[in-house]
Amino acid sequence: MNPHPLARTAGRTSRGLVTGVGLLVGFVVLAVTVGRVESVGLTRMEPARPVQSLALRVDDAADGSLALRDADRGALVATVRPGEDNFIRATLRGFAQGRLRAGLSREVPFRLTRFDDGSLRLDDSLTGRSVDFGAFGPSNYAAFARLMPAESMPSEPMPAQDVCRTALPADGIPGSCGTAPTNAEPSRNSAKGAMGAAP
């Protein structure tokens, strides 16, 4: 018994559709593979380079303050008193507790680094933990940015675009450009006032 003509047409259409879809999928896979191998249509971002670095040692004082010191020079960078700079306090306490749980030394300093794209990061070489402050908003970014030593900034004039990239971002977002906001001005006076105080 011969199949109905419509059934024969439907069978040919289904086979043609499956073949077409298979060819399309094969082409997409081939195009993606060639693109990845040959870097066609891909944009590669150069990794950010460090422009400032501070070896940060944290000492506890009897009154609950934290004395933040430049571990390389022994200089007092800032004093975090109870009830002040809660973001700094919480971040450093979290890093210290990570070491305590792992049974690691407290003597090795943390590393605060500013990069040429404006980002700012705190690293613990012992635990491998790091925090990128660009994700925590302008005021929290500025809290750690003020700890960076001003004298380690490049002394030679830089092109405008480079100055913009390494300066404190205008809106606290790494990579943005402009004048630092008033609430992000480095509060080094308070730190200098604590220089003579015992931690």
Side-chain angles (χ1 to χ4, degrees), residues 170-187:
D171 54 7
I173 301 171
S176 65
C177 194
T179 306
T182 55
N183 65 352
E185 287 295 326
S187 56

Side-chain angles (χ1 to χ4, degrees), residues 121-147:
R121 193 178 73 205
L122 182 68
D123 296 285
D124 184 352
S125 60
L126 296 185
T127 63
R129 183 177 180 181
S130 66
V131 173
D132 188 336
F133 296 114
F136 291 92
S139 59
N140 292 327
Y141 176 97
F144 273 90
R146 71 181 174 86
L147 302 178

Side-chain angles (χ1 to χ4, degrees), residues 11-160:
R12 287 196 299 271
T13 302
S14 297
R15 284 194 297 274
L17 183 61
V18 170
T19 302
V21 170
L23 290 173
L24 179 61
V25 171
F27 173 77
V28 170
V29 170
L30 178 64
V32 170
T33 302
V34 170
R36 287 189 178 276
V37 171
E38 300 295 330
S39 298
V40 176
L42 298 179
T43 302
R44 296 189 183 276
M45 298 291 291
E46 291 294 326
R49 293 176 296 118
V51 293
Q52 274 187 294
S53 183
L54 171 67
L56 191 63
R57 194 180 85 227
V58 183
D59 296 330
D60 290 298
D63 65 352
S65 298
L66 298 179
L68 310 183
R69 298 184 180 277
D70 181 338
D72 293 333
R73 296 180 299 172
L76 183 66
V77 175
T79 299
V80 180
R81 304 191 185 283
E84 299 177 355
D85 291 312
N86 290 328
F87 180 70
I88 293 179
R89 179 180 292 275
T91 301
L92 296 177
R93 288 290 187 204
F95 272 56
Q97 287 170 4
R99 285 188 179 181
L100 184 63
R101 286 191 297 268
L104 300 172
S105 170
R106 293 186 54 186
E107 300 305 313
V108 178
F110 304 124
R111 178 69 58 179
L112 183 62
T113 307
R114 191 200 301 270
F115 295 87
D116 62 355
D117 63 354
S119 58
L120 187 68
R121 193 178 73 205
L122 182 68
D123 296 285
D124 184 352
S125 60
L126 296 185
T127 63
R129 183 177 180 181
S130 66
V131 173
D132 188 336
F133 296 114
F136 291 92
S139 59
N140 292 327
Y141 176 97
F144 273 90
R146 71 181 174 86
L147 302 178
M148 299 300 290
E151 60 269 19
S152 66
M153 289 295 288
S155 57
E156 293 297 321
M158 296 185 297

Side-chain angles (χ1 to χ4, degrees), residues 180-198:
T182 55
N183 65 352
E185 287 295 326
S187 56
R188 302 203 54 89
N189 290 337
S190 60
K192 288 180 180 177
M195 287 288 284

